[in-house]
Amino acid sequence: MQEIHHFFHSLFSLTLDFRVRLFNILALGGTVISLIMALLSLGTGSWGNVLINLVLVAVSGGLFLYSYYSEKYQRCYLITIVMIFLIVFPVMFFTSGGYHGGMPAFFVFAIIFTVLMLEKRRALIVSLLEIVLYIGLCLVAYHFPHIVTPFATEVDRLADILLAFVSVSTVCGIVLYFHLKEYNQQQLLLEEQNRRLRSLDNAKSTFLTTVAHEIKNPLSSISLHARDTSELLEEEPLDFSLMQENLRTIEQSVMRIDRIVLDLMDTVSIEQGRLALSLVPSDLGALLHSVEKDFSSHPSSGNNQLVLTIQSDLPEISADPERLIQVITNLISNADRHTQNGTITISLTGEPGWQTICVSDTGTGMSEEMRKNALKGYVSADKDYWRHGIGLYVCHQIITAHGGKIWLKSQEGEGTQVFFSLPEEES
C-alpha cells in the first residue's frame, strides 16, 4: 500500500513540470474512462465501440508507461494529440451518436489539454486545427446523418452524455485543482522571497551605513590628533609627552581600521570559499604570550587589565598561528571595547584530544538574542550586532576551518565569555 502511495505521489509531485503532471492525469484518466466506456459498450452490444475503447485503453496505458520510464514527454504529447485527439476522437464521434452523444464534451477536453501541453505558437496552431476539425465533423454528421451510428435507446444516449460530462468535469477539475494549488504555492514562495529581498536590502543599507560609521570614528580621531600634533610642533617649548600620546591614539585608530578592513576581506573570502589555512605545529601557550605582549605594548582603550592563565605541558597542535592570533586579537578587541576599568582574562586549558582557550571580560555583556546570533553571518539591521558580530562571525569560520568549535556565554551587565576548542590532532 505504501509503495502504491509513493508511486502516485511521484506522478503528481510538485517537483515535476506542470505539463508532465498534466499528461499523467490525462493518461491515467483516459485509460480509466476508456475502460469504463468499453464495458458500457459491451453491455449495449456495440462491438465497434468496444474495440475502439480497448484500443484507447492500450494507447493511453502504453503512452503512460512509455513516458514514465523514458521521460520523453514531448514525444508523448504529440502522439496523444495526433493519435487520440485527431484520429481516435473523430472515429468515436461517428460511432457514438455524433453530436447527439457525449463526444462534443471530449472535443472541449482535447482542445483544453492541447493548449496546456504545447507551447506558444504550436499550441495556438494545433488547437485551431482541432476546432476546425471538430466543427467540420459536426457539419458532416448534420448533412450525412446515415454515417453516424445512433444509440440503440435513449437510455444509452443519456448514459453516454452523463459519462462524458462526469469524466471531462472530473479530469478538468483535477487539473484546475493542481494548477491553482501550484499557483498559490508559487505566490507564497514569491511573497517570502520578496520579503527576504526587502530584508536583505534593508540590512545591506544598514550594514554599509554602519561600516562607514565604524571607519569614520577612528578616521575622525586620526584627523583630530594629527591636527593637534601639528599645532604642538609650532609651540615652544615642544610637549613631547602630549605628542607621543597623540601618536599612540593615532596608532590605535589605524589598528582599529585595519581590523575592520581585515574582517571585511575575510568575510568576502569566507563567502566565496577561499579561506585558506597554513597549518604548522603551534604552541598555543607561546602564541598567547605573544598576544599578551602586543596588548601590553599599547594602552587599553577601556583602561582594562589583561590576565593570562596557561596550563603547562600542553603539546603542540596543527594550526595556522597567524589566523589564531587574528581570532584572539579580535576577541580581546571586542572585550576591551565593551569593558571599562575591568579585567580581561585569557585562559588555556587542555583535556584529552582538545585544547580550549577562553577570553572573558567583566564588561556590558550581550542580550540573549544577541548571544544566540553573534556567531552567525553579519547581515543584520542591528548596528550593535555588527560591532559584535562580524568579528565573531570571522572567528567562528576560522575555528571551524581548523576542525574546532566555538561558543560563548554572556549576560547583560555581567560580561562575556568566548570559548573555542581546537583538536590536538589534525582534523
Side-chain angles (χ1 to χ4, degrees):
M1 191 68 182
Q2 188 175 2
E3 293 180 356
I4 295 176
H5 179 268
H6 177 73
F7 172 73
F8 279 98
H9 178 75
S10 67
L11 296 179
F12 308 114
S13 171
L14 292 177
T15 57
L16 295 175
D17 181 74
F18 174 72
R19 290 184 176 86
V20 173
R21 284 179 281 143
L22 180 66
F23 178 79
N24 290 336
I25 295 172
L26 173 63
L28 287 177
T31 303
V32 174
I33 292 170
S34 299
L35 186 60
I36 294 174
M37 293 184 71
L39 294 175
L40 291 175
S41 299
L42 185 64
T44 60
S46 180
W47 296 104
N49 281 341
V50 171
L51 180 61
I52 292 174
N53 282 292
L54 288 178
V55 170
L56 272 177
V57 170
V59 171
S60 299
L63 283 173
F64 170 73
L65 293 175
Y66 176 73
S67 65
Y68 182 78
Y69 289 106
S70 70
E71 297 185 355
K72 297 180 179 179
Y73 290 100
Q74 287 293 333
R75 181 180 298 177
C76 293
Y77 300 161
L78 293 175
I79 293 174
T80 299
I81 292 170
V82 173
M83 288 190 62
I84 298 179
F85 295 168
L86 298 180
I87 297 177
V88 176
F89 276 14
V91 174
M92 292 183 65
F93 175 77
F94 289 108
T95 60
S96 301
Y99 52 77
H100 295 292
M103 280 310 299
F106 284 103
F107 291 166
V108 175
F109 169 86
I111 294 169
I112 292 174
F113 271 75
T114 298
V115 172
L116 292 175
M117 283 195 294
L118 300 182
E119 296 181 355
K120 300 177 182 178
R121 184 178 298 178
R122 183 183 294 180
L124 178 62
I125 293 173
V126 176
S127 60
L128 287 175
L129 176 63
E130 288 175 342
I131 292 173
V132 171
L133 173 64
Y134 296 152
I135 291 175
L137 293 176
C138 292
L139 292 175
V140 170
Y142 176 78
H143 289 288
F144 305 97
H146 61 278
I147 64 175
V148 178
T149 302
F151 292 101
T153 65
E154 193 67 17
V155 173
D156 292 340
R157 177 170 176 263
L158 177 62
D160 187 76
I161 293 174
L162 289 178
L163 178 62
F165 169 74
V166 172
S167 302
V168 173
S169 300
T170 301
V171 175
C172 288
I174 292 172
V175 171
L176 187 61
Y177 168 78
F178 277 110
H179 191 61
L180 290 176
K181 182 178 180 181
E182 182 178 22
Y183 172 79
N184 290 333
Q185 289 180 333
Q186 288 178 340
Q187 287 295 109
L188 292 174
L189 181 62
L190 183 61
E191 291 175 3
E192 175 63 18
Q193 289 175 338
N194 287 335
R195 186 191 66 77
R196 290 181 60 190
L197 286 173
R198 286 193 297 269
S199 175
L200 289 172
D201 187 60
N202 292 335
K204 181 191 71 174
S205 299
T206 303
F207 175 74
L208 293 175
T209 302
T210 307
V211 170
H213 176 73
E214 288 293 314
I215 294 178
K216 181 176 178 294
N217 283 344
L219 285 176
S220 298
S221 176
I222 291 172
S223 175
L224 175 64
H225 289 87
R227 186 167 58 249
D228 185 48
T229 302
S230 178
E231 293 174 355
L232 288 172
L233 288 172
E234 297 175 359
E235 295 179 359
E236 291 291 344
L238 295 177
D239 190 343
F240 289 104
S241 62
L242 188 55
M243 284 190 287
Q244 287 177 340
E245 184 178 341
N246 285 345
L247 290 175
R248 282 193 293 269
T249 303
I250 291 172
E251 183 183 11
Q252 288 178 346
S253 298
V254 171
M255 292 175 61
R256 182 177 172 189
I257 293 174
D258 182 67
R259 282 194 297 270
I260 293 173
V261 173
L262 182 61
D263 283 344
L264 291 174
M265 293 174 63
D266 282 338
T267 300
V268 173
S269 298
I270 289 166
E271 292 186 343
Q272 294 179 349
R274 296 189 292 105
L275 181 65
L277 299 178
S278 299
L279 301 178
V280 295
S282 303
D283 183 340
L284 293 187
L287 189 144
L288 289 180
H289 280 298
S290 172
V291 173
E292 179 195 26
K293 182 178 179 181
D294 183 66
F295 180 84
S296 301
S297 65
H298 303 90
S300 167
S301 61
N303 194 30
N304 298 304
Q305 180 184 3
L306 183 64
V307 177
L308 188 63
T309 59
I310 298 176
Q311 180 178 327
S312 59
D313 300 327
L314 291 177
E316 292 184 335
I317 66 169
S318 180
D320 185 334
E322 294 301 320
R323 287 294 186 180
L324 292 185
I325 288 174
Q326 179 185 347
V327 170
I328 298 166
T329 301
N330 215 325
L331 296 180
I332 293 174
S333 176
N334 266 354
D336 191 45
R337 187 185 305 182
H338 298 283
T339 306
Q340 294 293 324
N341 302 312
T343 302
I344 300 172
T345 303
I346 306 177
S347 63
L348 170 63
T349 57
E351 57 185 83
W354 295 88
Q355 294 184 27
T356 301
I357 292 176
C358 173
V359 178
S360 62
D361 62 62
T362 56
T364 57
M366 301 182 188
S367 66
E368 181 65 17
E369 182 179 0
M370 178 78 69
R371 185 191 64 78
K372 289 180 179 179
N373 296 306
L375 298 176
K376 297 181 181 179
Y378 61 83
V379 176
S380 172
D382 190 333
K383 295 180 181 179
D384 289 334
Y385 175 73
W386 187 88
R387 292 207 305 273
H388 280 286
I390 188 170
L392 289 175
Y393 170 69
V394 172
C395 293
H396 180 214
Q397 298 301 318
I398 292 175
I399 297 303
T400 301
H402 278 83
K405 48 192 176 182
I406 182 170
W407 68 100
L408 58 89
K409 299 178 181 179
S410 184
Q411 288 187 353
E412 284 188 288
E414 297 184 13
T416 299
Q417 293 176 294
V418 182
F419 302 83
F420 65 88
S421 293
L422 298 171
E424 290 185 345
E425 295 182 1
E426 183 177 353
S427 59

